[in-house]
Amino acid sequence: MRSGKRTRADKKIVVDDKILPQKTMSAPRSPQKRNAARNRNIQQKLQTSAQQNKWSIENTKLPRDTRNTISSINIDNYSLKLNKASQFIDDKFIFFKTDRGNIELNVLPDYSNIPLKDISERQKINLELSGFACKKIENTKVDWRLVIGVGGSSVYETSMTLHHIYGIPYIPGSAIKGVLRHFIVSELLANDFPDDNLNIINKLIEIDDIEVLIKKGIETMGNIVITYTDEDGQSKKIKPSQKLLDRVMTGWDDLKKARKIFGNQGRQGNVIFVDSFPITPPKIKPDVMNPHYSDYYSGKTDKNGNPVSPADYLSPVPIYFLTVEDTAFDFYLAAKKKDKDIFDEKIGNFNIVNWLKKALCEHGIGAKTAVGYGYLNV
């Protein structure tokens, strides 16, 4: 008789007088090894997908009958591939793959069959046929990279503005209008006021009867209270300073011209800002931002309930996003033919076309302009 505890090897399973084989027990893997194995699994699946033209219908979360229906169809719309038929690999939507620090797209666009110049030129033709006069700024090339619509809704952490029909990246007319309006107002008041007062100026311009108040004089202007939203999203009320009101009154001729171009809540502007489409095949490149203090910015606390400090022990959290690189765009401004003189009217030292050129070169458009994205060469 053997003493001590019996091991797994001492136990046997017998079925119909036959001893069944037993699996040997391996030691449990550490979290690091499990993560490494998981990453290898993702990369293997990504490589398999790469061999299938960078995209596979089997890696999507579309319903089975939908997948069976379109399995033999070549989907060449990049917007559909990226957003509607997203690649779902190892419980995660992924649009990129990494290889020794390099980031590559898992879903590649193909714009070789899209007549990009014709699409852009068609905008001008349609506007002129509709009775509008047009001004064109052509062949403006992205200086480095352009980020458009990064905060839009998406199955990924970030997004990109893509045309729903053509699948190409484009710059919405609303974005062009907003950037240009802010640039003109800030340049007219350059070195006079900080950015928070520019928000107040923008609100003053929106007031329909501001002209009447200006004509009545500074005493009436002194009774104005502005309601605006600060950077934290909080609604605040503020009484403009005397210096700011004086600046609005003395510079009202230029500000009035700007309001005539852009309009306000009470009236439509005289200039129409048209969506800008690429005229060369867009090169879409993945990029990464690596915030080091995400726990601090998200307001997390430590085990003692104290707010986390922005210290070096916090782990960086890479966030991948899409950019447009080495691509040229055409920009169109339109106005009714009876208002076409608005293109030659100067605000300060420049007309609206030259203001747009300056804004694209000096201010940039899209997200992350403060770190070099979004500048164009005109």
Side-chain angles (χ1 to χ4, degrees):
M1 185 172 183
R2 299 173 61 182
S3 61
K5 293 183 178 179
R6 298 181 66 184
T7 64
R8 180 180 177 86
D10 296 327
K11 299 178 181 179
K12 296 181 176 60
I13 301 175
V14 181
V15 177
D16 294 334
D17 296 330
K18 293 181 180 179
I19 300 176
L20 299 181
Q22 298 186 53
K23 293 182 179 179
T24 57
M25 296 293 291
S26 58
R29 292 185 297 178
S30 64
Q32 292 80 7
K33 289 184 178 180
R34 287 199 300 270
N35 289 334
R38 178 176 177 272
N39 291 334
R40 283 195 300 271
N41 187 28
I42 292 177
Q43 294 305 319
Q44 288 173 359
K45 291 184 177 181
L46 284 172
Q47 290 171 4
T48 301
S49 178
Q51 295 171 358
Q52 300 171 348
N53 297 323
K54 299 288 184 179
W55 180 85
S56 171
I57 191 67
E58 296 303 322
N59 287 338
T60 67
K61 295 297 286 183
L62 294 170
R64 184 179 299 277
D65 56 345
T66 304
R67 281 183 284 164
N68 292 337
T69 301
I70 65 176
S71 59
S72 59
I73 301 174
N74 179 29
I75 298 178
D76 57 2
N77 186 307
Y78 189 58
S79 179
L80 289 179
K81 277 188 175 181
L82 190 69
N83 298 313
K84 302 300 183 182
S86 312
Q87 298 293 277
F88 190 79
I89 300 173
D90 203 27
D91 296 331
K92 188 175 182 181
F93 287 105
I94 296 178
F95 63 82
F96 67 94
K97 64 187 180 75
T98 57
D99 182 19
R100 297 180 181 179
N102 296 321
I103 313 167
E104 297 180 7
L105 280 176
N106 181 43
V107 182
L108 288 176
D110 181 11
Y111 298 127
S112 58
N113 296 323
I114 299 179
L116 296 170
K117 289 186 178 180
D118 293 342
I119 293 173
S120 179
E121 188 65 25
R122 192 184 303 151
Q123 290 181 290
K124 180 181 178 182
I125 295 173
N126 289 338
L127 286 167
E128 289 177 343
L129 289 175
S130 301
F132 292 95
C134 289
K135 287 290 183 178
K136 179 181 180 181
I137 303 175
E138 60 183 352
N139 199 27
T140 60
K141 191 173 183 180
V142 176
D143 186 50
W144 178 47
R145 289 181 175 178
L146 175 69
V147 185
I148 293 292
V150 69
S153 58
S154 174
V155 296
Y156 314 108
E157 292 180 277
T158 56
S159 183
M160 174 184 242
T161 299
L162 296 171
H163 197 274
H164 65 286
I165 294 177
Y166 305 117
I168 57 177
Y170 72 102
I171 305 174
S174 57
I176 300 170
K177 180 178 180 180
V179 165
L180 182 56
R181 186 183 186 279
H182 176 80
F183 182 73
I184 290 177
V185 173
S186 60
E187 286 294 302
L188 290 175
L189 303 174
N191 302 320
D192 285 347
F193 302 103
D195 286 343
D196 57 345
N197 277 316
L198 290 178
N199 294 328
I200 300 173
I201 291 290
N202 284 325
K203 289 292 183 180
L204 286 172
I205 298 175
E206 291 292 329
I207 299 175
D208 282 330
D209 55 351
I210 188 70
E211 240 179 314
V212 177
L213 297 177
I214 289 175
K215 289 179 180 178
K216 287 184 177 180
I218 197 65
E219 293 182 1
T220 307
M221 289 283 288
N223 297 324
I224 294 177
V225 177
I226 299 296
T227 301
Y228 74 103
T229 303
D230 62 12
E231 294 180 353
D232 297 327
Q234 301 295 322
S235 180
K236 290 187 175 181
K237 291 185 177 181
I238 189 170
K239 188 174 182 179
S241 65
Q242 189 69 42
K243 180 182 177 182
L244 188 146
L245 293 173
D246 289 339
R247 182 66 182 86
V248 170
M249 291 182 68
T250 56
W252 179 246
D253 286 342
D254 284 330
L255 293 174
K256 186 168 98 171
K257 291 176 184 177
R259 190 171 77 165
K260 182 180 178 182
I261 287 173
F262 297 102
N264 64 358
Q265 293 181 354
R267 64 180 297 276
Q268 183 180 5
N270 288 357
V271 175
I272 299 172
F273 295 84
V274 185
D275 295 342
S276 176
F277 291 109
I279 57 173
T280 59
K283 294 182 180 179
I284 297 181
K285 299 288 184 179
D287 209 332
V288 60
M289 44 187 159
N290 210 14
H292 282 64
Y293 309 126
S294 57
D295 289 350
Y296 166 74
Y297 290 120
S298 60
K300 290 186 178 180
T301 57
D302 58 21
K303 61 182 180 180
N304 297 322
N306 299 319
V308 174
S309 301
D312 290 338
Y313 65 83
L314 296 176
S315 300
V317 181
I319 300 174
Y320 298 93
F321 60 100
L322 295 175
T323 67
V324 179
E325 184 180 77
D326 192 23
T327 304
F329 291 82
D330 279 348
F331 289 82
Y332 290 99
L333 300 177
K336 295 178 180 179
K337 288 186 177 180
K338 65 182 181 66
D339 299 325
K340 64 181 181 179
D341 292 342
I342 196 74
F343 292 131
D344 299 320
E345 190 170 352
K346 285 190 176 182
I347 304 174
N349 298 323
F350 306 100
N351 60 31
I352 187 64
V353 176
N354 288 327
W355 271 116
L356 180 55
K357 291 179 180 179
K358 280 177 61 66
L360 296 174
C361 291
E362 300 175 16
H363 182 278
I365 194 167
K368 302 175 73 64
T369 55
V371 289
Y373 294 83
Y375 290 87
L376 289 91
N377 292 320
V378 179

